[in-house]
């Protein structure tokens, strides 16, 4: 039981701190360019790319985290699909 509580809190905190923060950072960077190095075009572009890449990576890891939490491993999904095709 305690494992499930901690797993749930990990998923919730990961979602709030990593998934929701990425798009907010990109939005904030675009709307407040002067604070993120607008005068230096290459620096602003670099910051935007890095934040976007980390947002994509965090989405990927969140997907993997949910798959493990829900016990939906790729081979399990494949075996379920193959069983349905046979019937």
């Amino acid at each position: 039981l305690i494992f499930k509580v901690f797993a749930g809190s990990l998923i919730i905190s990961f979602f709030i701190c990593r998934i929701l923060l990425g798009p907010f950072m990109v939005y904030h960077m675009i709307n407040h360019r002067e604070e993120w190095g607008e005068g230096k075009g290459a620096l602003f572009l670099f910051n935007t790319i890095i934040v976007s890449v980390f947002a994509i990576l965090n989405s990927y890891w969140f997907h993997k985290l949910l798959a493990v939490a829900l016990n939906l491993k790729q081979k399990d999904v494949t075996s379920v699909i193959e069983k349905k095709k046979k019937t």
Side-chain angles (χ1 to χ4, degrees):
L1 177 66
I2 194 141
F3 175 75
K4 290 183 180 183
V5 170
F6 284 126
S9 64
L10 171 68
I11 291 171
I12 291 169
S13 64
F14 192 94
F15 180 76
I16 292 171
C17 296
R18 299 253 179 155
I19 302 301
L20 293 181
L21 188 62
F24 174 75
M25 290 293 291
V26 172
Y27 170 78
H28 189 273
M29 286 179 69
I30 291 172
N31 288 329
H32 301 278
R33 289 182 181 199
E34 64 279 353
E35 297 173 12
W36 290 91
E38 179 190 12
K40 303 170 186 167
L43 179 62
F44 177 74
L45 180 63
F46 178 75
N47 285 339
T48 306
I49 290 171
I50 292 298
V51 169
S52 300
V53 166
F54 277 115
I56 292 168
L57 283 173
N58 284 330
S59 298
Y60 170 76
W61 284 111
F62 186 69
H63 174 265
K64 298 287 271 184
L65 187 65
L66 283 179
V68 169
L70 299 174
N71 291 326
L72 293 177
K73 297 179 183 169
Q74 183 63 29
K75 61 183 178 181
D76 294 337
V77 173
T78 306
S79 66
V80 169
I81 292 171
E82 289 176 359
K83 286 179 184 177
K84 286 186 178 182
K85 284 182 181 179
K86 290 179 182 178
T87 59

